[in-house]
Amino acid sequence: LNPKLKPNSHMLRILRFGYVLILSVVLISCDSREPVSIDYTAELEEVALEANLQPGEILTAIDLTRVFTKNEWDSIIVIKPYAKYTHFKKLDLENNSDVRFILREMQFVDHHYYLLFVQENEITAYAKMNNFHRLAVTDNGFFPVISRSNPTVSLIRLKDDPDFYQFQKVSNQKIK
């Protein structure tokens, strides 16, 4: 061997440091959390029961930040029945493929819907919601978004079917 090509201790330290640095960057970049399933059925039932509405009656100004408190969120995406993943992936969330199973299911069903809780462009949680407490959004988009900065909804007890309640998005209102 050529003695000039023999690695010295300084070169070995530099190589080790480089290896550790690259390994650290790879591990940190893979730090994506999988969304967790959260059940908010009891919270929505409690809001509906406390309102004590008669069929056809409307209660305005319910702040969803006081209802959805089990996790952090910047916005909530409503996954309506018959939603398609091809449209959903256009939202360009960091981990939208983690909820692909929800979109596969929702392509063919209309007896429930999902809420996706997003924090800093990443889906952190999801909630499967029954139609007894439907969150209705008049947004014509494929995936309506409820922002934490505008979380106000109205609660309506349906006149034709008083067992059902509808949470209706109120545009441009915020509860202080």
Side-chain angles (χ1 to χ4, degrees):
L1 279 181
N2 186 344
K4 290 181 181 178
L5 296 177
K6 233 180 181 180
N8 61 31
S9 63
H10 180 67
M11 284 176 59
L12 287 175
R13 278 189 237 143
I14 290 173
L15 287 172
R16 279 189 215 136
F17 176 75
Y19 176 73
V20 169
L21 182 64
I22 290 170
L23 186 60
S24 298
V25 168
V26 168
L27 289 175
I28 289 171
S29 66
C30 295
D31 187 32
S32 179
R33 300 172 283 173
E34 272 197 40
V36 296
S37 176
I38 297 178
D39 186 2
Y40 277 112
T41 305
E43 287 79 357
L44 290 179
E45 284 177 3
E46 183 178 333
V47 169
L49 290 174
E50 285 179 4
N52 198 25
L53 297 175
Q54 297 302 312
E57 193 176 359
I58 300 172
L59 172 69
T60 58
I62 295 172
D63 183 349
L64 292 180
T65 61
R66 296 181 182 165
V67 177
F68 300 124
T69 60
K70 294 178 183 176
N71 59 300
E72 295 293 321
W73 56 275
D74 296 329
S75 57
I76 300 171
I77 300 173
V78 180
I79 306 296
K80 300 189 278 187
Y82 309 115
K84 292 190 166 105
Y85 183 74
T86 54
H87 297 145
F88 179 73
K89 67 182 178 181
K90 292 177 185 174
L91 293 177
D92 199 28
L93 297 168
E94 288 181 20
N95 60 338
N96 62 5
S97 62
D98 288 346
V99 294
R100 184 179 293 202
F101 71 96
I102 291 173
L103 279 295
R104 282 189 188 127
E105 176 184 338
M106 292 308 296
Q107 286 184 68
F108 307 105
V109 300
D110 63 1
H111 56 275
H112 63 268
Y113 63 102
Y114 280 89
L115 301 177
L116 302 181
F117 297 89
V118 178
Q119 176 83 24
E120 298 176 5
N121 204 39
E122 185 176 6
I123 302 163
T124 58
Y126 60 91
K128 184 175 183 178
M129 308 302 297
N130 66 43
N131 281 341
F132 289 110
H133 307 99
R134 179 173 284 276
L135 184 57
V137 182
T138 55
D139 185 340
N140 289 332
F142 287 114
F143 303 98
V145 176
I146 298 168
S147 171
R148 188 171 193 87
S149 63
N150 185 15
T152 308
V153 296
S154 295
L155 176 63
I156 304 164
R157 186 169 186 185
L158 301 182
K159 191 173 192 169
D160 297 337
D161 196 345
D163 290 336
F164 286 82
Y165 290 83
Q166 182 168 302
F167 291 85
Q168 182 72 42
K169 185 73 181 101
V170 178
S171 52
N172 299 326
Q173 269 190 323
K174 184 178 179 184
I175 296 176
K176 302 214 184 232

